[in-house]
Amino acid sequence: PRSTAMADAENAEDAPPPEPEVKMMDLPDGTKLPALADGEYDAIVLGTGLKECIISGILSVDGKKVLHMDRNDFYGGESASVNLVQLFEKFGAGAPKPELGNSRDFNIDLAPKFIMAGGKLVKMLIMTNVNKYLEFKQVDGSYVLKDKKINKVPATDMEAASTPLVGFFEKRRLAKFVKFVDGYDAEKPDTHQGMALNRMTAQELFTKFGLDSGTVDFVGHALALYDNDAYLAKPAIELVDRCKLYGESFARYGKSPYLYPLYGLGELPQAFARLAAVYGGTYMLHKPVDKVVYNASGEACGVVSVGEDGQPAFASCKFIVGDPTYFADKCRKTAKVVRCIAILSHPITPGNEPSCQIILPQNQIGRSNDIYVFCVSASHNVAAEGKYIAFVSTITTNPDIDGPNFRKAAEAELKAGLALLGKVDSHFMDTYDIMVPNEDGNKDKCYISKSYDA
């Protein structure tokens, strides 16, 4: 007969493995919950928009332990890219017509933005090596409206000499202004020409160089890229810095100062997410946040979500970063973005460029904010061959945008930009609130980003 010891050993082999011990976490109110993921983190990031993914990536590279969560099952949040079917589903428009092309050939940004070639984002991409995950291509054309005509922003000396954007006698004054901006160095007083740019306003600087209102419009909106004229009353140093950025970005590649990633902006959040993952960051998509937990001092110290078993679970942290949709009670609305997303079968510029930006300065169209027209195509792998995606956007405080006649009000706001599109194959009107945090986050350890503007 077999020994009892042998029988006990065989029975032990057949028995199921013991359940792993559940790590329990203490909440500030004394209750306990199972740990969410590893349970303890330096930072928790809520939302996978571009800003949040950049911060998550940089924190991870810096050695911080990061938990990154999103209630959606996709990356990008409000700055995601969608295919054609997803676009039609978002606006409840049924199925796209077959003549629009294959849905998978489209990558349509929900918050379209061109990137300045010499800007901080490009420097950040290079510094973190995230650029190895992405491929960029230059935007082909930059245009601006003046006197009801669309004019190309000069890209060569010959174009600068012949442009109708600046009058014949005004060109010399503008050349002096540009030379001053190009040579200005805050650390070298001999480049200041006796002017204290921190104390004088942008308007005073323009007056100093004798620039007329049309040239001021061109510089402020097409070069410095302000979307309204509030900057004229602010210190001139900001204007000069913005103009220098435009010049440096333009000098990188010529033709235009803008870059745009192949396959759309939705690639950027994913690239920074990969960076965070390489350095140990934990990502959880389709993970709702039930509540943010605060300690006795009113500081954020963790979040409650749903664990693997479907029950509440808690992760602790030293601070939280998130987009405004996770902190509605800590943000305020300042304005609205109104945007038309249109699919076309033709380019929209006089030069027929496959990608472009057209700026309609506020004073040229009788508004309080500029209108931006942004067009991309198959040249950036974001549309089917022969198709173009155009975005017409602006900022508004018009209360009718929230009313029952939203579509009519939106078309009125965007009228000047919509007129540039010509025949449209399909289009959608969208709007969202621009939300900004009430505080800087140092007190409650909730660092909240601002909504994307136009």
Side-chain angles (χ1 to χ4, degrees), residues 223-236:
L223 304 186
L225 302 178
Y226 287 104
D227 67 358
N228 63 61
D229 279 349
Y231 78 95
L232 290 170
K234 296 179 179 179

Side-chain angles (χ1 to χ4, degrees), residues 166-213:
V166 182
F168 179 78
F169 294 107
E170 189 74 2
K171 284 185 172 72
R172 177 176 290 183
R173 289 188 284 269
L174 177 58
K176 289 181 178 179
F177 175 81
V178 170
K179 184 177 180 181
F180 165 73
V181 168
D182 187 51
Y184 182 85
D185 186 332
E187 302 300 320
K188 297 179 179 178
D190 60 320
T191 67
H192 299 180
Q193 295 188 17
M195 293 179 283
L197 298 190
N198 283 315
R199 293 200 295 271
M200 70 188 304
T201 66
Q203 181 61 68
E204 288 170 340
L205 180 62
F206 284 135
T207 302
K208 179 81 173 177
F209 283 90
L211 301 183
D212 67 21
S213 59

Side-chain angles (χ1 to χ4, degrees), residues 69-378:
M69 303 169 62
D70 196 315
R71 63 170 73 89
N72 299 308
D73 59 359
F74 57 86
Y75 287 98
E78 301 299 317
S79 58
S81 298
V82 297
N83 61 34
L84 198 59
V85 168
Q86 291 168 331
L87 180 71
F88 274 68
E89 288 176 350
K90 173 178 170 61
F91 291 100
K97 296 177 182 178
E99 54 263 33
L100 292 177
N102 192 320
S103 173
R104 290 175 298 178
D105 290 335
F106 287 83
N107 291 285
I108 303 164
D109 291 331
L110 298 180
K113 297 282 181 186
F114 285 150
I115 298 166
M116 296 298 284
K120 290 180 181 178
L121 179 55
V122 170
K123 293 173 182 175
M124 206 177 298
L125 289 167
I126 295 169
M127 179 190 74
T128 57
N129 225 16
V130 169
N131 58 314
K132 69 182 180 182
Y133 302 124
L134 300 161
E135 188 173 351
F136 288 85
K137 188 175 178 182
Q138 189 178 21
V139 174
D140 297 287
S142 179
Y143 288 78
V144 64
L145 178 73
K146 184 181 180 185
D147 298 332
K148 300 182 180 180
K149 291 182 180 179
I150 298 299
N151 296 285
K152 191 172 187 293
V153 177
T156 66
D157 290 342
M158 186 175 293
E159 288 179 355
S162 61
T163 180
L165 288 169
V166 182
F168 179 78
F169 294 107
E170 189 74 2
K171 284 185 172 72
R172 177 176 290 183
R173 289 188 284 269
L174 177 58
K176 289 181 178 179
F177 175 81
V178 170
K179 184 177 180 181
F180 165 73
V181 168
D182 187 51
Y184 182 85
D185 186 332
E187 302 300 320
K188 297 179 179 178
D190 60 320
T191 67
H192 299 180
Q193 295 188 17
M195 293 179 283
L197 298 190
N198 283 315
R199 293 200 295 271
M200 70 188 304
T201 66
Q203 181 61 68
E204 288 170 340
L205 180 62
F206 284 135
T207 302
K208 179 81 173 177
F209 283 90
L211 301 183
D212 67 21
S213 59
T215 306
V216 168
D217 256 1
F218 169 64
V219 172
H221 295 264
L223 304 186
L225 302 178
Y226 287 104
D227 67 358
N228 63 61
D229 279 349
Y231 78 95
L232 290 170
K234 296 179 179 179
I237 185 63
E238 183 182 314
L239 167 71
V240 169
D241 287 343
R242 281 173 168 250
C243 289
K244 286 178 77 70
L245 171 59
Y246 186 98
E248 290 163 5
S249 298
F250 188 90
R252 293 237 172 165
Y253 305 105
K255 193 161 65 174
S256 92
Y258 309 118
L259 298 176
Y260 189 68
L262 296 186
Y263 304 102
L265 278 183
E267 294 294 297
L268 279 170
Q270 294 187 60
F272 278 99
R274 292 188 198 106
L275 175 70
V278 166
Y279 284 88
T282 300
Y283 274 78
M284 303 179 80
L285 297 181
H286 207 203
K287 187 65 70 171
V289 176
D290 293 337
K291 70 173 180 177
V292 174
V293 178
Y294 299 86
N295 61 23
S297 301
E299 298 172 338
C301 61
V303 299
V304 174
S305 183
V306 180
E308 296 301 317
D309 59 358
Q311 299 301 311
F314 175 70
S316 69
C317 64
K318 298 172 183 175
F319 62 92
I320 294 177
V321 175
D323 72 51
T325 64
Y326 290 90
F327 299 96
D329 61 329
K330 293 179 178 290
C331 297
R332 67 187 186 279
K333 182 176 85 171
T334 58
K336 273 187 173 290
V337 170
V338 184
R339 178 173 291 121
C340 173
I341 303 173
I343 300 170
L344 318 172
S345 296
H346 56 85
I348 62 173
T349 59
N352 292 327
E353 290 92 346
S355 61
C356 69
Q357 174 159 274
I358 306 172
I359 297 173
L360 285 62
Q362 59 168 92
N363 292 326
Q364 298 291 323
I365 52 176
R367 288 179 45 80
S368 55
N369 287 90
D370 293 2
I371 291 178
Y372 295 96
V373 183
F374 168 113
C375 187
V376 284
S377 65

